[in-house]
Structures are given as structure tokens and as C-alpha cells.
Amino acid sequence: MKIRVNHSKIELVKGDITESNTDAIVNAANAQLILGAGVAGAIRSKGGPSIQEECNAIGHCPVGGAVITGGGNLKARHVIHAVGPRQGEGDEVTKLKNATLNSLKVAKENKLKSITFPAISTGVYGFPIDACARIMLTTAKTYLSGPTIIKRVVFALFDETSFKAFEDQIKTLK
Ligand code: ADP
């Protein structure tokens, strides 16, 4: 499933984000930048130890922020570590929007043309998938509506439920 926004595309794919060959993949990170379970665990095991080492050198990232490292042995040359909110901590919508937007800004600053996101905060952090789909897709679409070098924004959805939630939301984007 794809939509065109200006001169760019938003694409939905089902599957493992570590298989993505975009310039960067986004990690659903925590503020300590410790690669634990979920997306981070898959990145750690496929990408090798250099990613955690680079994260350690950076040290910390606030909720709603994003930082970049190399991609180690991944197909993607870079990993952008975006820190989403934990459900219940407050101000989740703004924080998830900022995590998405700051990832796109970091991609742009590093002259990257394509990026793949997971459904940030919807795993261990417990944020509802429908709201996540709405916030992340709207943020990506608004960003791509302005001048940008980013050509492809991909969302890699791990299971059928997440894919369906994003598919339903993308159809409602105007
Ligand atoms: P968070 O701590 O931000 O909730 P998680 O990594 O636990 O992050 O989960 C975020 C989302 O990514 C969840 O919907 C989860 O099912 C999904 N996910 C887990 N592993 C992968 C993977 N390898 N590729 C794509 N999505 C994944």
C-alpha cells in the first residue's frame, strides 16, 4: 500500500524492520538508549555490537527526541533511535508526534532520502495502535507536504493487526 505526497511516497509494508533497505531504520528506543526487547532487540541481534557502543557514547535521548548511529551489519546504513512515550506517562500524543518529526529531521540533516519506521510505543510501551497510526501517518504526511529531500517514508508493521490499523488510517488521510 502506497500513497504519494508531493514528490515523495508513504508506504506500508508488513514484516521485520531489520530487513528494510532504506537509508535509515528507526529504533523504538528508550531514553537510556539501551537496546532491549522488541524492535531494539532485533536491531541489536542483526546489527551487531557497534550500534549499542555508539548509543553508549551518546548516552541519553529525551522522550520525543531522536539520535542517529551507524547501522552495523544491517542493510540500512543508519539507525535513528527515536524515544516514544510510555502509555500513561502523560502528553503521549505530542511526544509521539515529536519522536516521528525529530526522526525525519535527523534523516534530513544527514542527507538521507529514505527511512523506515516501526509503530513506535505500541509494544512494551503499551500505546494504542490506532492512535499511533493516526499520529505517525499524519506527522509524516504533513512533513512531506513541505520542501524535503526525503523521497520514501516506509512503515514496517510487524503483524496483521498493526498493518490493518495503518491501512485503515492511511485511507482517511486527506
Ligand atoms: P516500544 O517500547 O516503543 O513499545 P517495541 O519495540 O516494544 O517498542 O514495539 C514497537 C512495535 O514494533 C510493536 O508494535 C511491535 O509489535 C513491533 N515490532 C517488534 N519487533 C519488530 C520488528 N522486528 N520489526 C518491526 N516491528 C517490530
Side-chain angles (χ1 to χ4, degrees):
M1 169 105 208
K2 279 182 200 176
I3 63 162
R4 177 172 284 282
V5 183
N6 242 349
H7 301 293
S8 310
K9 280 180 199 146
I10 297 178
E11 301 175 25
L12 307 184
V13 300
K14 216 179 296 176
D16 183 346
I17 195 166
T18 60
E19 291 301 315
S20 178
N21 62 2
T22 49
D23 295 337
I25 63 171
V26 175
N27 177 25
N30 52 45
Q32 295 73 37
L33 301 177
I34 293 169
L35 302 170
V39 173
I43 288 175
R44 178 170 35 81
S45 46
K46 272 207 194 150
S50 66
I51 303 172
Q52 182 65 68
E53 284 161 17
E54 285 187 59
C55 281
N56 293 345
I58 297 167
H60 180 266
C61 178
V63 181
V67 297
I68 190 167
T69 66
N73 304 323
L74 293 169
K75 292 179 186 169
R77 280 182 297 120
H78 302 274
V79 177
I80 295 175
H81 304 264
V83 184
R86 194 183 281 271
Q87 173 67 355
E89 72 178 30
D91 220 4
E92 293 92 345
V93 173
T94 304
K95 287 170 177 171
L96 183 55
K97 181 182 164 186
N98 288 341
T100 308
L101 194 56
N102 284 320
S103 298
L104 293 164
K105 287 181 178 167
V106 167
K108 185 202 102 177
E109 282 160 17
N110 287 272
K111 302 189 165 52
L112 308 183
K113 295 196 174 70
S114 57
I115 180 171
T116 304
F117 283 96
I120 295 173
S121 289
T122 64
V124 175
Y125 277 5
F127 191 71
I129 189 75
D130 293 344
C132 170
R134 176 173 49 77
I135 294 158
M136 293 192 73
L137 285 168
T138 308
T139 305
K141 184 171 182 211
T142 305
Y143 183 85
L144 294 177
S145 303
T148 179
I149 59 162
I150 300 177
K151 291 286 173 207
R152 284 176 72 205
V153 176
V154 181
F155 290 88
L157 293 325
F158 208 38
D159 53 31
E160 185 59 38
T161 312
S162 313
F163 184 80
K164 179 83 171 47
F166 272 70
E167 204 177 38
D168 288 348
Q169 281 298 329
I170 208 169
K171 289 177 189 158
T172 71
L173 287 183
K174 299 215 173 56

